[in-house]
Each structure stands twice: as C-alpha cells, then as structure tokens.
Amino acid sequence: VTGYGDHEDVPSLRRDVPADDAVLSAAGTVLRALVQDAPPPPSAALARVIAAGLPSADGRGRVTAWAARTAGKVAGLGAAAKLLLAAGVAVAGVGGATTAVELSHPAHSPSHPRIDTPPRARPQPTPTPAAPAARVPRPTTSAVTSRQRSEDGERHPSGRPGTDDGRQVDGGRHGGDTSSSVSGDGGSSGDSVAGDTSSTDSGGSHHNGGGSSDGSGSGPDGGGSGGSGSGSERGDG
Amino acid sequence: MGSAGADPRDSDLVVGARVGQPWALTEIWTRHSAAVAGHLRGRGVTDADDVTSDVFLAVFERIGGFHGDDEDLRAFVFTVAHHRAVDHLRRRARRGVAAPYDAQADPRTTASAETEALVRLGDARVRELLMTLSPDQRDVILLRVLGDLTLEQTALVVGKRVGAVKALQHRALAALRRVVDQAVSL
C-alpha cells in the first residue's frame, strides 16, 4: 500500500512528491496574495461579540471561568504531573482524615460519661422459632431511640477499652465494610501509633457517625468529624 | 507544511475563548480572520469580509464545546469557513450572482523561478488560476496553503481520507505546474 493508496492511479504519483513541495511553496507564495495584512473589518454583530464577550461568560461567573481555566491547565499537564497531583490530593485526604481522628478521639475517651452505657450485645445466634425468648434482651435496645442507637454506634469502635472485641460488632451492624476490620486496628490502639490505615478506617467509622447523627455529612471526612462533635455535645447535655 | 511553534498563551487563549473572554475572542479574530478571508476569496466568495464575520460568529457560538489547542482551533475555524463557503457558493449558484474580484498587490516575493513566474501571472489572475482547479483541488490547496493545515487536518475539514487529500493536492500542484511552465516559456 502506498502513501497515496486510495486512488487507482496514485502509485504513479509518488515519484513527483519532492517536486510537489517546491510547487506548493511557490503556490503558497502566490496564493497568500489573497490574504491581506490586516484583519477584515468585522460586522456589527461580530464587533459587539468581540467587544463584550460571549453572553454565556457573564452568566457562568468568575468561579466557573476560574474552574475552566484550572481545568484547562490541569488538562495541559503531562501524565506524570497528573499522577503526582493525584498522589498529593490523596496524601492530603489521608492527612485530613488523620486530623479528624485525632480531634474526635477525646470525645470517645473512656472518661466520657456515655461510656458507662452497657456495650451492645455480641451477635446472637439466629433464634429458632421454637425459642422466641432468646430475643428478650432486645427490648432494652429497642427502647433506645434511633439517635441513641447511632450514638452507640459511634462509641463502639473506640469507646470500649478493648475495641478489638467490638470491631466485629461494628463491622457487622453498622455497615462497616471492609474498612471496619481495619477500624478495629486503628481504634484499638487509640494512640499515636495510628498510621495511614487507621486514619482511613477511622474516617469510615466517622462517616457512620456523621450520617446517623445529622445526616449532613458531605464527605466521609467532613461528615465524620462533624457528626462526632455533635454527638459528644448531646451526650454532655 | 505546518504552522510555527505554539504560542505559550495558546492554552489560555482557548480556555479564555471557551468562557467568552473578549480578549481571547479578539486574539482569535486577529490571528485567523485574514487567512479565512483570503481562503474565502480564493474559493470565490464575493463578499468575503462579511462571510468571514459570519464564520467567526459561528465559531464563537460553538467554541464553548471546543476542546483542543491552537492548532485544533485553527482547523476548527477553517472547518467552519469551509462549510460557510460551500453554503455561500450554493446560494450564489441558485441566485446566479457574480462580482469581479479585486485583488491587491502582494509585496512578498521570493527569488524562486517558479514563484517569479507565478507572480508574473499577476495577482488578478490568482483567482483565475485557482479556478482552473477542480473545486476539491482548490479546497485542498487553499486549506493547505492559506489555512496552514496539515494533511490530516485538511482531510478532516473536507471530509476525505488523507490519501485522497494527498492525491488531490498532487493533481492541483501538477495543474499549477503546467501553468507555471507555460508562464516561464512565455
């Protein structure tokens, strides 16, 4: 297949290609006589557009314009720069989650008054229909409002001294996904040993707390820390 | 044939134009309008200045959804210009209106013998020279020369494959070469 392969007599043209460049250059010199040095006068409608900008720009506002410029700059970055930027964002997120854990942890300290409430019962075997009395302890928890129940859910991961025991409960009942198992690791120590993994899973546990307490959590980190804060205030009151 | 290196502000230019910044629209007009007008004149558009304004109005209306750099923007502008020229020529064919072309003298010349021969043809004959080409050949030559588009960009504008554009360019240049040879022999 030749470079000109889509025409039947194109293969015979290949030997003329070098000459084409010279003629194209010469033709370009002549044809550029059609191009005036100055831009032509714009029409009235175009002059208005050029002078005032597009109407959509006014409606979108500066923030959108800034966002578009930023997006354009990011789009202009190379793949390595984008990866670096993404890594920076991820590290910042992890750092934010760690900070949230550090700030919210004292509210769940053993000295907190709500720590005296009895811990939630361990998972019970599924009662058989022949033994309905096995569910008798449940009414104590059913008397608790849903809000309190969620607060309990907040307290579990770090409220008990040995959260390693309770992490399975948390993971099972509060929708603690895979992060719940890691949550126990971070919450069990509850000290400065908490590393990246503890921060991420703590963010997950906070997310549960924030979502259940006020439901206004916009993100796992922010909602988690906000939810835990409000929960502690209610507990004090 | 390709355009020169990209201006460092090209990315800002496209982004600014997408959000309708006046400075960006002005810059686009300043950069490309003369070439578009020349392209339209070469295509035989009589009121090339007015159609050029229409072209840029259409470009600015659609630039919000445009993605690319300045090279792509140039191809985009000439794509719109190409379609506008086609529409204009169709309308004119229906109306049967014609007007003489008034070309200006080109002070830029080179020492090339072929160029000298072509220049001797007279600027008034440039359009006549172009009219010796088929419409497709003319489109390709004008887009390649005045639009400064690559073969690939030209293929996109005219809706043909790159190989077909190469063939059209070759035939157009062969026809121009014949005219040059005749001019040299005179």
Side-chain angles (χ1 to χ4, degrees):
Chain A
V1 177
T2 68
Y4 302 110
D6 40 59
H7 199 276
E8 57 268 16
D9 57 353
V10 159
S12 63
L13 304 178
R14 290 191 70 187
R15 60 180 176 270
D16 298 327
V17 169
D20 281 356
D21 292 337
V23 178
L24 185 63
S25 175
T29 303
V30 174
L31 294 180
R32 286 196 177 90
L34 299 172
V35 179
Q36 299 175 351
D37 292 334
S43 65
L46 181 63
R48 279 195 300 272
V49 169
I50 290 176
L54 293 177
S56 60
D58 298 332
R60 295 169 73 181
R62 289 184 178 181
V63 174
T64 308
W66 174 83
R69 279 196 301 273
T70 305
K73 288 178 181 177
V74 172
L77 295 175
K82 286 177 181 173
L83 284 175
L84 194 60
L85 184 60
V89 170
V91 168
V94 168
T98 306
T99 303
V101 170
E102 295 295 332
L103 291 177
S104 61
H105 193 72
H108 302 289
S109 64
S111 62
H112 197 271
R114 290 184 297 163
I115 200 64
D116 296 331
T117 57
R120 184 164 297 182
R122 286 176 171 274
Q124 300 289 330
T126 303
T128 59
R135 306 184 70 153
V136 170
R138 281 293 182 184
T140 58
T141 55
S142 65
V144 180
T145 62
S146 60
R147 178 195 279 180
Q148 290 169 332
R149 192 176 290 175
S150 64
E151 289 173 353
D152 288 342
E154 282 181 0
R155 273 178 265 129
H156 277 303
S158 58
R160 278 168 281 148
T163 324
D164 288 333
D165 297 334
R167 65 188 172 195
Q168 294 176 352
V169 177
D170 294 334
R173 293 194 181 171
H174 294 284
D177 38 7
T178 55
S179 65
S180 64
S181 61
V182 187
S183 170
D185 297 336
S188 62
S189 61
D191 51 19
S192 60
V193 181
D196 293 343
T197 55
S198 66
S199 63
T200 52
D201 57 57
S202 296
S205 65
H206 281 289
H207 179 64
N208 290 337
S212 60
S213 61
D214 53 10
S216 62
S218 60
D221 297 332
S225 58
S228 63
S230 62
S232 64
E233 288 176 2
R234 281 194 300 271
D236 294 338
Chain B
M1 176 175 294
S3 60
D7 191 317
R9 294 184 308 147
D10 283 349
S11 59
D12 289 341
L13 174 66
V14 174
V15 172
R18 288 181 58 191
V19 297
Q21 294 292 325
W23 68 268
L25 304 182
T26 304
E27 180 67 20
I28 290 173
W29 165 259
T30 304
R31 282 191 191 187
H32 303 302
S33 61
V36 167
H39 170 79
L40 294 172
R41 288 189 198 98
R43 293 286 302 270
V45 175
T46 53
D47 47 352
D49 290 353
D50 290 341
V51 178
T52 301
S53 292
D54 292 342
V55 166
F56 279 85
L57 277 174
V59 166
F60 294 155
E61 285 174 2
R62 302 174 194 173
I63 204 166
F66 170 78
H67 296 279
D69 55 10
D70 190 58
E71 290 290 320
D72 300 324
L73 178 63
R74 171 178 278 267
F76 174 57
V77 168
F78 275 90
T79 300
V80 176
H82 173 77
H83 293 152
R84 288 295 169 126
V86 170
D87 293 343
H88 177 86
L89 294 175
R90 282 177 182 164
R91 277 200 302 271
R92 196 181 68 175
R94 286 196 295 269
R95 293 176 190 166
V97 177
Y101 171 70
D102 183 17
Q104 294 185 349
D106 181 19
R108 296 166 294 183
T109 57
T110 67
S112 163
E114 289 179 326
T115 301
E116 290 292 337
L118 284 170
V119 169
R120 278 206 302 270
L121 292 173
D123 295 329
R125 287 193 63 198
V126 171
R127 197 165 146 258
E128 181 182 344
L129 177 65
L130 286 172
M131 291 306 148
T132 63
L133 307 177
S134 72
D136 285 344
Q137 293 171 356
R138 189 163 56 240
D139 290 348
V140 167
I141 290 297
L142 286 171
L143 289 170
R144 293 276 287 132
V145 172
L146 299 186
D148 206 13
L149 303 185
T150 63
L151 283 170
E152 290 76 13
Q153 289 172 330
T154 304
L156 285 176
V157 171
V158 300
K160 297 181 184 299
R161 289 188 290 178
V162 176
V165 169
K166 283 182 182 176
L168 285 168
Q169 172 181 302
H170 177 83
R171 290 180 173 180
L173 293 177
L176 290 175
R177 192 181 301 120
R178 283 195 295 273
V179 176
V180 170
D181 291 341
Q182 291 172 3
V184 169
S185 64
L186 289 178

